[in-house]
Every structure is written in structure tokens, then in C-alpha cells.
Amino acid sequence: MAATTLATAEGKRPSARLRRLEDERWLALVLLTPTAVLLGLFIAYPFVEGVLLSLSSARVGDPGQFVGLKNFYKIWNDSIFHTTVWNTFWYTGVTTVFKLALGLWLALLLNRHFRGKAIIRAFILLPFIIPTVLSTFAWKWMFDPTFSVINWTLFQLGLITTRINWLGDPDLAMTSIIVINIWRGVPFFAITLLAGLQTISPELHEAAAIDGARPWARFWHVTWPLLMPVTLVVVLFSVIQTFADFQLVYVMTGGGPANATHLFATYAYQLGIGTGLLSEGAAISLAMFPFLFIIVVAQLLYIRRVETR
């Protein structure tokens, strides 16, 4: 009887493959393999191909040959590339500051209790939900010098006497795309910061109020420190997305007028696809990587320092 029971137990033992999966190291390897394959196919492989392309003289229909850092030296002496670098940093910095300020203001308002709060929250998300190209075409019509509703409104208010060519002037064109990016990005900041605000216990504000702290003091010494980790993560994602922005600028100005509103992505597209200089376009795309890498690493280190306090 005992021998029969032992034989049955041995027959029900898991196979060697299943026993191996009980080891956390093997289980982690199995679970991470599909993700690693996808990242390798859609991120690592294109990145390596881009590096190889930037080190060659490839054009459309011509595989080219190895030229080393010649393409990087060429774009370094390109005045349009210098303008592109300045535009990208200015565009990213200004929009991030305004999106953070307006998003935080909206989050503080939406964190209060009032009638119709759910509807207003859903309405605020519309700029972020609408496809970028669709909303940008609407803005392009609003900034059109002939049919601009903005010009019509300013004319009716007596603020202008002639039409303003918003997208034909370099400074006004950059200001226009900055305004559109802020309009589109504020909902992302507002909803994310609102989620962070709702994790802060009201008892902390009540205790601070009992101690005599005014609203601004309660915000600065209670709300803001607790909201800082969420804020830094939101800013990090916003910087990455804004730094590599393409659709908005391409639809609004195409990098114009006179290449005055180019960002890294739009200038790389114009050279690589528009003129067929694939290697130079790849070099401009890779030139964005060191700047973005330094910014992201600096922000991650700062986030880690804040979280360890």
C-alpha cells in the first residue's frame, strides 16, 4: 500500500520544465523575454540602423559608404541647425513652465467639491484626447491671416487695424505653436496632478490650519512637498514628448517661415525625407539624443534625491 502511494506521488511530480519555473530567476527571464524582443525590434534595431545611417553618405536610392563623423561636422556648421537647437530648448522650456503652472492651477480648482465636477473634468481632457493633427488644423485656420477668428476678434475690439500674419512672421509663428502646445498639454498636467492631490490626506491641511497656517503657507509647506514626486515625473514625460515634438509644428508651419520654427524632428524630416539626404537627417535625429539624455538623467537623479528625503 505504501509503495503504491509513493509511486503515485512520484507520478504526479511536476516536470523538470515546471520545476525550473519555480525559480524566480527563470520565471523572470521567461516573463521579460517577450518585452525584450519587442523593445529590440522596435527600439534597439531602428536606433542601431539610425547610427549606421548617420555614419554613411546614404541618400534615397543610394546606400552610400562609410564617412565617419562627416555628417555631424556638416550639421554642426549649419546655421539652420543652430536655430533648430535654440528653438527646441526654447519651445520645450517655455511650454513646460506654462503647462506646469496652468495644470497645477486647474488641478487645485478641480480638487474642490462643486456641482458638475465630473463633467468639467471630462471637458478639460478634450484637448488631450482630440488627435493632434485634427486639432492643429483647427488652430491653423484660427491663425490664418485672411480667415483668422483671432484677427476678427481683435479688430472688433479695436486692438488692431490691419491683419496679423501669425504664421508668416518668425517670432509670431514660434509664439503660435508654443500657445497650441500649452493648450494641448495642460490637461495632462491637470489630471495627473489632480490624482496626486487626492492622495494627500485632508487631515494634514486641517492640522496646519489649526496651527494658524494661511492657505498659501499650507500649499507651500504641505501640498507642494507631497506633490513634488508626481510633479517631477509629469515634467519628465512632458519634456521628453515636447523635445521630440513633430506633428504640431509640421502641420502648423512645416518649420517655416524661412526655417525659423524648426525643431529637431521637423528639420531631420525635411532633410532626410524632403530632400532625400537620409544620412544627414539621421545625424540630426541622433544629435537630439545627447541633449535629451542629459536632461532625462538630470531629472531622474533629482527625482531620486527628492524621494529619498
Side-chain angles (χ1 to χ4, degrees), residues 73-261:
Y73 179 78
K74 185 175 181 179
I75 65 172
W76 183 258
N77 296 305
D78 183 3
S79 60
I80 300 177
F81 178 74
H82 297 164
T83 303
T84 299
V85 174
W86 165 253
N87 287 345
T88 303
F89 277 94
W90 176 253
Y91 177 75
T92 304
V94 173
T95 56
T96 301
V97 169
F98 276 92
K99 285 186 287 188
L100 176 59
L102 295 175
L104 180 59
W105 174 66
L106 277 177
L108 292 172
L109 291 179
L110 294 175
N111 197 39
R112 300 182 177 183
H113 297 285
F114 54 89
R115 181 178 297 180
K117 179 170 61 176
I119 298 176
I120 294 178
R121 287 180 180 177
F123 180 77
I124 288 177
L125 275 175
L126 283 178
F128 190 69
I129 296 174
I130 299 174
T132 305
V133 175
L134 182 62
S135 60
T136 306
F137 268 116
W139 276 99
K140 190 172 184 178
W141 171 78
M142 293 172 62
F143 282 116
D144 185 89
T146 304
F147 306 102
S148 172
V149 66
I150 299 176
N151 282 347
W152 181 84
T153 303
L154 295 176
F155 181 80
Q156 294 297 322
L157 294 175
L159 299 177
I160 61 174
T161 56
T162 58
R163 298 171 181 173
I164 300 177
N165 189 4
W166 296 96
L167 303 180
D169 180 85
D171 295 330
L172 292 178
M174 178 57 68
T175 302
S176 301
I177 63 175
I178 287 176
V179 169
I180 300 171
N181 185 277
I182 293 172
W183 170 83
R184 181 169 174 77
V186 164
F188 173 68
F189 275 77
I191 296 301
T192 309
L193 294 177
L194 175 61
L197 287 173
Q198 293 183 341
T199 63
I200 300 175
S201 175
E203 297 177 357
L204 296 174
H205 290 279
E206 294 174 0
I210 293 174
D211 291 337
R214 295 180 178 273
W216 172 251
R218 294 200 299 269
F219 169 79
W220 187 251
H221 296 288
V222 178
T223 303
W224 183 244
L226 295 175
L227 196 62
M228 180 64 73
V230 178
T231 303
L232 292 176
V233 173
V234 175
V235 170
L236 175 62
F237 281 106
S238 176
V239 167
I240 294 173
Q241 293 175 357
T242 308
F243 206 86
D245 199 0
F246 173 79
Q247 298 180 69
L248 192 155
V249 180
Y250 183 75
V251 173
M252 284 295 297
T253 64
N259 299 311
T261 59

